[in-house]
Amino acid sequence: MTTAPGGLPMTVPADGLPARVRIHEVGARDGLQNEQGVVPTEVKAEFVRRLADAGLTTIEATSFVHPKWVPQLADAERLFPLVRDLEGVRLPVLVPNERGLDRALALGAREVAVFASATESFARANLNRTVDEALAMFAPVVTRAVEHGLTVRGYLSMCFGDPWEGPVPVDRVVAVCRRLRDMGCDELSLGDTIGVATPGHVRRLLTELNEAGVPTGTLAVHFHDTYGQALANTLAALQHGVTTVDASAGGLGGCPYAKSATGNLATEDLVWMLHGLGIETGVDLGRLTATSVWLAGELGRPSPSRTVRALGGAASHKES
Ligand code: HMG
Ligand code: MG
C-alpha cells in the first residue's frame, strides 16, 4: 500500500510551531521558467486556476523580465489578464526594473517582487549587474511600487551557497537583506537557490537577521530541494517563527541562471508535513495533487514530488 487511508497524514501536533502557514506558491513562475519548452499560455492559466481551486491564496503568476532572458515567461502580457480576476487570490509578479514595473502596472498587478543576489557571480548571471548596480536598479522600482500602493517582496538569492563562489557568509546575506528592507520591501524571501542549506545554517541566518533588526514576521523562506534538505530547513524556519513558506506545486523548478538549482520544495510535500503537524494551510491536498498530476501530463514527465508520486494514482483517478 503506497498511500495513507484517505490520502491524508495523521495529525499529531508538536509544540513551538505556528497555527497557520501561508504558502507562497511559485510553480507557475519559478517552476515554468525552468522548463525546456515553452508551456502554452492557456495551460499556464489553467494551472493557476487549478492552484486557486486547490486553496492556494498566493500564487506567483509570471515575470515581467526581458523575454530574451526568460523566453518561457515571454507571454506575461497574455497570461496575466487571464488570471488577474481570480477572487481572493494574491498574484505577485517578478519585476527586475522600471520597465518591468511599467508592464506590470499597465495590467493591474497589485503585488510585485524584485530579486537581488547575495553574491556577485549570481547578480551578474541573473541580472547582468553587480550586487550594488542591481540594488540601484531596484530602488526606484520599490519606491514607485509603494507609491502605487503595491505590496513589494524582495527576494534574495544564494543566501546559503553559490555555485561559483561556494559558501556565502551570513553577514553578507544580512547586509543585503537590510538594504532591501531599508528600500521599502514589505517582505523578504530568503532563497536557497541551489539547495545547499542545512537546518542549523537556517537558524543562524534567521537569528542574525533578527539581531540586525529584521523581524521574523517580515521573512519568508524559499528552499530548493537539491540535497533533500528543503523540508528539514522549513521545519527549522517554522520553529523560529516563520509563517510564510515558498513552494512549487509538484516540485517544479530550478533557476535558468544557476545550473545546479533543481526543483523547489514541492507544495504537496510541504502540505503533507504541515497538515501532519496540525498546521492550517487552507489547501486541499487531493485537489493540489490532481493539479500536479494533470500538469505532469501536459509536460510529459512525472512530478518529482514524493507526495505526488505516493498519492498521484488516487488523485488522477479521483479527477477522471
Ligand atoms: P540587460 O540586458 O542588462 O538589459 O538585462 P538592459 O537594461 O541593458 O536593457 C536591454 C534591453 O532590454 C532594452 O531594450 C530594454 O528596454 C529591454 P532595447 O532598448 O535594447 O530595445 N528590457 C526589457 N524588456 C522587457 N521587460 C523588461 C526589460 N528590461 C529591459 N523588464 C535584465 C537586464 C534585468 C532586464 C535581465 O537581466 C533580465 O530580464 N533578467 C531576468 C532574469 C530572471 O528572470 N531570472 C529568474 C528569476 S530569479 C530566480 O528565479 C530566483 C528566485 O526564485 C529565488 C531563488 O531561488 O534564489 C527568485
Ligand atoms: Mg527559486
Side-chain angles (χ1 to χ4, degrees), residues 18-23 216-217 219-220 237-238 241-245:
R20 188 173 178 91
V21 159
R22 181 168 64 86
I23 297 176
T216 304
L219 295 170
L238 297 177
V242 171
T243 58
T244 302
V245 179

Side-chain angles (χ1 to χ4, degrees), residues 26 29-31 33 60 155 157 191-194 222-224 246 253-255 261-264:
V26 298
R29 193 280 304 170
D30 207 349
Q33 79 180 6
E60 207 164 85
Y155 274 107
S157 288
D192 182 17
T193 320
I194 56 168
H222 180 104
F223 294 122
H224 287 250
D246 298 3
C255 179
T262 58
N264 293 70

Side-chain angles (χ1 to χ4, degrees), residues 1-4 7 269 272 289 303 305-315:
M1 171 144 151
T2 53
T3 59
D269 298 5
W272 184 276
T289 304
S303 156
S305 157
R306 299 288 181 91
T307 303
V308 171
R309 287 181 185 205
L311 298 178

